[in-house]
């Protein structure tokens, strides 16, 4: 018997297939995001870290791939250090730094120093960046008895000049400084600045890259039924899920923070960024990503793969169920192949799909088919849910249950009495939906004729209730 060549217990054909799928993803995303506006906020702790040069190299690759990149460097830690060395007191209130007028030259110098570091590093990648004063600001003034002094709020962003800079192939860099109409400088939040730039450009993506950023059960209260990565992190949230997350994390869990040696500042900073992301998406930004900048390669991994490396916040149209089309057949065959090899699914041919594709739905994620299932109807009273398949890279974000719910609603809408499934390995999963064991003898004659006793698939059935 001819044996398949293996590498570390994996058949070569499996390895090649996985590599090919990753390459297809990259090509698909490069095509999708060509000329897309991408705003990147870099925390200054990342700028001071050993991985900074790696992140800059990744940013340069995005630019070379045709994305329009805008960078907003944070300067909080640099400003803190410089003010402390100058013996100038300051405090943070409601996300704004409160200090005296004498601090403003130091704040401005620190903000531009950090921006110059980014510009010089991009020059090392043979890219031209421009630091500009494109932000008009006004003072926050006195609010509830608190004088915010040098702290400012964004009044206007010079979008037309910014578009000219981008069209010229340059990378704009925004220091966290805004100027009044009279030329007075104000210190503004770089987190808020990044969000406002993205909103006013209607950017496709907004990235926040900061150390150890994890929306994980280790640091936060995670809502029930949230899809989690194997590491316990939330890979993606739509606006509705995000609102639930924010409600459950209104206040810092002091015991959890103490146990994990995480400061309250870390917790509140992430929650603030999540809130900014919510507003950005509601205001037209397609997607916001929160990335752990302590991981090398997190940026290209996030932008050129379906689920990436961090947490993505998006409107409800990120992934969608739709009817299968004839042109999906090749993708669906590729999707089910690993499950056929594991004998979880029966093999299906191109010809079989051409005859039955109208029974199927698929889940499309950024233009790629990542899940499928069929509803085969028999004698107008019952139907079989079959070929339920979810790409393993997406198995932890809840697509499977949503797909079953979608098909059950479809069955109810056409007034079927019940649905059934035949399975050898996934009985427990279907029982969670209320499916009960039943006799194979109750199968419709047409389906019973195809049942293979050697395979020994078990029958489970769910009675449906629908509104008259």
């Amino acid at each position: 018997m001819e044996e398949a060549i293996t590498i570390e217990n994996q058949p070569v054909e499996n390895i090649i297939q996985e590599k090919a799928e990753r390459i297809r993803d990259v090509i698909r995303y490069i095509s999708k995001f060509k000329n897309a506006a991408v705003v990147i906020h870099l925390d200054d702790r990342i700028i001071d870290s050993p991985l900074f040069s790696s992140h800059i190299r990744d940013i340069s690759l995005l630019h070379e791939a045709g994305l329009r990149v805008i960078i907003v460097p944070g300067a909080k830690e640099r400003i803190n250090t410089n003010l402390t060395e100058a013996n100038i007191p300051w405090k943070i209130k409601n996300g704004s730094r409160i200090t005296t007028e004498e601090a403003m030259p130091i704040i401005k110098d620190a903000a531009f120093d950090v921006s110059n570091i980014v510009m010089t590093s991009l020059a090392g990648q043979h890219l031209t960046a421009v630091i500009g004063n494109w932000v008009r600001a006004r003072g926050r003034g006195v609010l509830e008895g608190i004088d915010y002094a040098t702290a400012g709020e964004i009044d206007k962003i010079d979008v037309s000049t910014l578009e000219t800079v981008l069209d010229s192939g340059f990378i704009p860099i925004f220091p966290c400084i805004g100027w009044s109409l009279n030329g007075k400088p104000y210190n503004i939040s770089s987190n808020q600045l990044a969000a406002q730039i993205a909103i006013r450009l209607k950017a496709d993506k907004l990235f926040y890259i900061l150390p150890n950023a994890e929306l994980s059960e280790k640091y936060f209260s995670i809502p029930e039924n949230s899809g989690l990565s194997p590491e316990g992190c939330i890979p993606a949230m739509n606006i509705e899920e995000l609102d639930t997350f924010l409600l459950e994390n209104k206040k810092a869990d002091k015991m959890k923070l103490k146990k994990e040696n995480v400061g309250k500042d870390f917790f509140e900073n992430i929650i603030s960024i999540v809130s900014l992301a919510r507003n950005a998406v509601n205001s037209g930004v397609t997607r916001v990503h929160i990335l752990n900048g302590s991981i090398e390669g997190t940026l290209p991994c996030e932008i050129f793969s379906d689920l990436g490396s961090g947490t993505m916040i998006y409107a409800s149209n990120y992934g969608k169920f739709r009817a299968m089309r004839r042109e999906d057949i090749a993708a669906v065959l590729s999707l089910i192949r690993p499950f056929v090899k594991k004998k979880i699914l029966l093999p299906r041919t191109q010809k079989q799909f051409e005859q039955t594709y109208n029974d199927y739905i698929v889940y499309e994620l950024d233009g790629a088919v990542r899940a499928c299932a069929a509803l085969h109807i028999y004698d107008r009273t019952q139907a079989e849910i079959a070929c339920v398949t979810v790409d393993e890279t997406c198995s932890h974000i809840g697509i499977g249950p949503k797909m079953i719910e979608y098909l059950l609603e479809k069955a109810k809408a056409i007034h079927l009495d019940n649905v059934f499934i035949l399975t050898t390995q996934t009985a427990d999963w279907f029982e969670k939906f209320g499916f009960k064991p039943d006799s194979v003898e109750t199968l419709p004659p047409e389906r019973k004729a195809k049942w293979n006793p050697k395979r020994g698939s078990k029958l489970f059935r769910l009675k449906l209730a629908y509104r008259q």
Side-chain angles (χ1 to χ4, degrees), residues 219-221 244-257 263-264 267-268 271:
Y219 304 130
F220 299 95
S221 296
T244 303
F245 175 86
L246 287 173
L247 279 174
E248 294 204 11
N249 289 276
K250 273 189 173 181
K251 295 182 180 178
D253 185 334
K254 293 180 181 178
M255 292 299 293
K256 181 173 283 191
L257 296 181
K264 187 179 178 183
F267 182 94
E268 291 182 345
I271 292 297

Side-chain angles (χ1 to χ4, degrees), residues 77-342:
E77 299 302 321
R78 179 68 63 92
I79 294 171
N80 289 352
T81 299
N82 291 1
L83 290 178
T84 300
E85 290 176 352
N87 293 316
I88 297 176
W90 52 271
K91 62 180 178 181
I92 303 295
K93 184 73 174 178
N94 296 324
S96 294
R97 183 187 303 276
I98 300 177
T99 187
T100 58
E101 292 290 341
E102 64 178 327
M104 199 59 225
I106 294 173
I107 293 172
K108 189 168 65 172
D109 287 347
F112 276 86
D113 282 347
V114 171
S115 294
N116 275 313
I117 290 171
V118 175
M119 183 174 68
T120 302
S121 298
L122 289 168
Q125 297 292 323
H126 309 291
L127 297 177
T128 302
V130 180
I131 300 172
N133 58 344
W134 303 298
V135 181
R136 192 170 77 198
R138 63 182 185 278
R140 293 200 68 184
V142 179
L143 298 173
E144 298 180 351
I146 299 172
D147 186 355
Y148 282 83
T150 59
E153 291 185 342
I154 299 165
D155 198 20
K156 182 181 179 181
I157 294 172
D158 188 351
V159 174
S160 61
T161 301
L162 179 57
E163 291 280 8
T164 300
V165 172
L166 290 168
D167 290 342
S168 299
F170 301 148
I171 297 179
I173 300 175
F174 281 77
C176 55
I177 303 293
W179 282 264
S180 71
L181 285 171
N182 297 323
K184 182 178 179 179
Y186 286 101
N187 182 199
I188 55 180
S189 162
S190 60
N191 286 344
Q192 293 178 13
L193 176 58
Q196 284 300 309
I197 295 168
I199 288 169
R200 299 185 194 201
L201 280 177
K202 299 295 182 187
D204 295 270
K205 287 186 176 289
L206 166 60
F207 291 92
Y208 286 98
I209 305 177
L210 60 158
N212 304 313
E214 286 184 10
L215 269 69
S216 70
E217 53 192 357
K218 183 165 39 172
Y219 304 130
F220 299 95
S221 296
I222 305 298
E224 285 186 26
N225 302 320
S226 294
L228 296 177
S229 69
E231 297 76 28
C233 297
I234 301 176
M237 283 191 290
N238 63 32
I239 290 296
E240 293 77 15
E241 293 165 336
L242 183 147
D243 286 342
T244 303
F245 175 86
L246 287 173
L247 279 174
E248 294 204 11
N249 289 276
K250 273 189 173 181
K251 295 182 180 178
D253 185 334
K254 293 180 181 178
M255 292 299 293
K256 181 173 283 191
L257 296 181
K258 184 177 179 181
K259 179 182 176 183
E260 299 297 339
N261 296 316
V262 175
K264 187 179 178 183
D265 286 348
F266 169 86
F267 182 94
E268 291 182 345
N269 187 40
I270 297 291
I271 292 297
S272 171
I273 289 172
V274 170
S275 298
L276 288 170
R278 180 185 184 280
N279 181 55
V281 170
N282 279 334
S283 300
V285 178
T286 308
R287 294 168 196 173
V288 181
H289 305 256
I290 301 172
L291 304 185
N292 182 355
S294 303
I295 300 174
E296 185 172 5
T298 184
L299 184 57
C301 182
E302 182 74 9
I303 201 168
F304 293 130
S305 63
D306 287 335
L307 295 175
S309 59
T311 296
M312 181 181 71
I313 296 164
Y314 61 99
S316 299
N317 60 353
Y318 168 54
K320 63 181 179 181
F321 293 109
R322 62 167 175 80
M324 182 177 171
R325 299 189 287 259
R326 187 184 295 273
E327 57 265 31
D328 297 322
I329 292 175
V332 170
L333 282 168
S334 179
L335 177 69
I336 71 170
R337 192 173 294 119
F339 299 92
V340 172
K341 288 182 178 179
K342 294 176 183 177

Side-chain angles (χ1 to χ4, degrees), residues 11-28:
V12 170
E13 63 181 275
N14 288 359
I15 295 171
I16 292 174
Q17 184 180 341
E18 289 173 8
K19 287 182 178 179
E21 195 58 37
R22 288 196 295 270
I23 292 168
R24 290 181 190 124
D25 281 344
V26 170
I27 293 171
R28 178 163 49 86

